[in-house]
Amino acid sequence: MEFKAKEIAEILNGTVDGNPEAVVTTFARIESGKPGAICFFANPKYEQYVYTCKADIIIVNKTFEPKEKVSATMVRVDDAYSAVAALLDYVTAKKRSYRRYRGCRSRIRWSSRIGKKVYVGDFAYVGKRAQIGDYTKVYEHVYIGDDVKIGSYCILYPGVRLYPGTVIGNNVIIHANAVIGSDGFGFAPLEDGTWKKIEHTGNVIIEDDVEIGANTCVDKSQMGSTIIRRGAKLDNLCQIAHNVEVGPDTVMASQVAIAGSAKVGRHCIIGGQAGIAGHLTVADNTSIAGQSGIMSSVKEEGQNLMGSPALPLRQYLRCYAVFKKGGK
């Protein structure tokens, strides 16, 4: 990549404060900025690095007023954090190429339907009646079962497993070794103390613009569908059980586990290692701190919850102050 400050400002709808001809060829963190690099400053606790950074360009908020001289050219934008995300997306899109490719060691069943400029890597398997949309990339060692439907502009990284009947929307990214559509954890106790497996006949539906991290598992439903709604983002090593519904634009960090038939609302934020018990409902715009346990339905929208069992944040902090004193 190679951009001038004035080009970056045009892409981000920003303004240049300094040399509009300054050129950068790489990205860097503001703590380690070097000549030829572009950095961004959005968190106030990193302000000290703005004055010592050696980068040629720094993306900053329009409201930023430096307390010392800044040697780098500043590109001022409305929101530096979202601006750098947009710039990274722009650079990645320019690098991305779409071409038709079929690995000679891949296997694509004759009844499948493959769109235009689809990449299928070596040792990938595409099952009977599967459908893959235009410009999708199926990397090496991916398994796509029978009757799977995949939209356009998707990326399936090496080792992804899509069980039969899975439905994937457009612009979906699934990272390495994620498993979508495996059986849920359902067993019926018998009188002799053994367990009988309950067959799962449903599927998984993943809507548009979803991203799923490496080694995450999304189980298919007993009946009906397990659903990940549009725009949801799941980190690595998450577990989504059968018949769960994850709402639009909800994000969850690593090692979150959601038990069967739970329903999580839209725009929720779930911290790492949090757990949600089965058959519960979590209201829209709920924030759940890491390692929290949700053991009853959250009915009020917009709450910040912490602890196990989870409590509203202020209530939890008051309780924790008592815990530290040994209950006295």
Side-chain angles (χ1 to χ4, degrees), residues 18 100 119 122 128 150 163 200 235 252 310 323:
R100 183 184 185 278
Y119 177 101
D122 286 330
K128 299 175 181 177
I150 303 170
Y163 278 54
H200 288 64
D235 197 1
M252 60 186 72
F323 300 158

Short mmCIF file of all heavy atoms in Angstrom, two decimals, residues 18 100 119 122 128 150 163 200 235 252 310 323:
data_model
loop_
_atom_site.label_atom_id
_atom_site.label_comp_id
_atom_site.label_asym_id
_atom_site.label_seq_id
_atom_site.Cartn_x
_atom_site.Cartn_y
_atom_site.Cartn_z
N GLY A 18 -1.19 19.56 8.52
CA GLY A 18 0.23 19.30 8.27
C GLY A 18 0.50 19.17 6.79
O GLY A 18 -0.13 19.86 5.97
N ARG A 100 -11.59 -17.40 -10.38
CA ARG A 100 -12.09 -18.77 -10.32
C ARG A 100 -10.92 -19.72 -10.12
O ARG A 100 -9.91 -19.64 -10.82
CB ARG A 100 -12.82 -19.12 -11.61
CG ARG A 100 -13.44 -20.51 -11.62
CD ARG A 100 -14.06 -20.81 -12.96
NE ARG A 100 -14.75 -22.07 -12.98
CZ ARG A 100 -14.16 -23.26 -13.16
NH1 ARG A 100 -12.85 -23.31 -13.35
NH2 ARG A 100 -14.87 -24.38 -13.17
N TYR A 119 -13.42 -19.50 -5.32
CA TYR A 119 -12.15 -20.19 -5.05
C TYR A 119 -12.43 -21.41 -4.19
O TYR A 119 -13.05 -21.31 -3.13
CB TYR A 119 -11.21 -19.23 -4.32
CG TYR A 119 -9.87 -19.84 -3.92
CD1 TYR A 119 -8.73 -19.58 -4.68
CD2 TYR A 119 -9.74 -20.64 -2.80
CE1 TYR A 119 -7.50 -20.11 -4.32
CE2 TYR A 119 -8.52 -21.18 -2.44
CZ TYR A 119 -7.40 -20.92 -3.20
OH TYR A 119 -6.18 -21.45 -2.84
N ASP A 122 -7.41 -26.89 -2.40
CA ASP A 122 -7.12 -28.32 -2.40
C ASP A 122 -7.70 -29.00 -1.15
O ASP A 122 -7.71 -28.43 -0.06
CB ASP A 122 -5.62 -28.55 -2.44
CG ASP A 122 -5.03 -28.28 -3.81
OD1 ASP A 122 -5.75 -28.47 -4.81
OD2 ASP A 122 -3.86 -27.87 -3.89
N LYS A 128 -23.35 -32.93 -2.10
CA LYS A 128 -24.45 -32.96 -3.07
C LYS A 128 -25.41 -31.81 -2.84
O LYS A 128 -25.75 -31.47 -1.70
CB LYS A 128 -25.21 -34.29 -2.93
CG LYS A 128 -24.37 -35.52 -3.21
CD LYS A 128 -25.18 -36.79 -2.94
CE LYS A 128 -24.35 -38.04 -3.18
NZ LYS A 128 -25.09 -39.28 -2.84
N ILE A 150 -24.52 -21.34 0.70
CA ILE A 150 -23.57 -20.30 1.09
C ILE A 150 -23.76 -19.11 0.15
O ILE A 150 -23.82 -19.29 -1.07
CB ILE A 150 -22.12 -20.81 1.01
CG1 ILE A 150 -21.94 -22.05 1.90
CG2 ILE A 150 -21.13 -19.72 1.41
CD1 ILE A 150 -20.62 -22.74 1.70
N TYR A 163 -21.92 -28.69 8.45
CA TYR A 163 -22.71 -29.92 8.40
C TYR A 163 -23.87 -29.75 7.42
O TYR A 163 -24.28 -28.64 7.10
CB TYR A 163 -23.24 -30.26 9.79
CG TYR A 163 -22.26 -30.98 10.69
CD1 TYR A 163 -21.00 -30.46 10.94
CD2 TYR A 163 -22.59 -32.19 11.30
CE1 TYR A 163 -20.10 -31.11 11.78
CE2 TYR A 163 -21.71 -32.85 12.14
CZ TYR A 163 -20.46 -32.30 12.37
OH TYR A 163 -19.57 -32.95 13.20
N HIS A 200 -31.01 -34.80 16.44
CA HIS A 200 -31.23 -33.40 16.08
C HIS A 200 -31.52 -33.34 14.58
O HIS A 200 -30.69 -33.73 13.76
CB HIS A 200 -30.00 -32.57 16.43
CG HIS A 200 -29.84 -32.36 17.91
ND1 HIS A 200 -29.62 -33.39 18.79
CD2 HIS A 200 -29.89 -31.22 18.65
CE1 HIS A 200 -29.53 -32.91 20.02
NE2 HIS A 200 -29.69 -31.60 19.96
N ASP A 235 -16.34 -14.45 18.76
CA ASP A 235 -14.89 -14.60 18.87
C ASP A 235 -14.51 -16.08 18.81
O ASP A 235 -15.35 -16.96 18.63
CB ASP A 235 -14.43 -13.97 20.20
CG ASP A 235 -12.95 -13.70 20.26
OD1 ASP A 235 -12.23 -13.97 19.28
OD2 ASP A 235 -12.49 -13.21 21.31
N MET A 252 -19.66 -11.16 21.03
CA MET A 252 -19.23 -11.93 22.19
C MET A 252 -17.76 -12.28 22.09
O MET A 252 -17.26 -12.62 21.02
CB MET A 252 -20.09 -13.19 22.37
CG MET A 252 -20.08 -14.17 21.23
SD MET A 252 -21.26 -15.51 21.48
CE MET A 252 -22.82 -14.67 21.23
N ALA A 310 -25.28 -13.14 37.81
CA ALA A 310 -25.05 -11.77 37.40
C ALA A 310 -26.05 -10.83 38.05
O ALA A 310 -27.24 -11.14 38.21
CB ALA A 310 -25.13 -11.65 35.89
N PHE A 323 -18.32 -8.52 50.21
CA PHE A 323 -17.57 -9.77 50.10
C PHE A 323 -16.14 -9.59 50.60
O PHE A 323 -15.59 -10.45 51.29
CB PHE A 323 -17.54 -10.25 48.65
CG PHE A 323 -18.88 -10.52 48.04
CD1 PHE A 323 -19.05 -10.51 46.66
CD2 PHE A 323 -19.99 -10.79 48.82
CE1 PHE A 323 -20.28 -10.75 46.08
CE2 PHE A 323 -21.23 -11.03 48.27
CZ PHE A 323 -21.36 -11.01 46.88
#
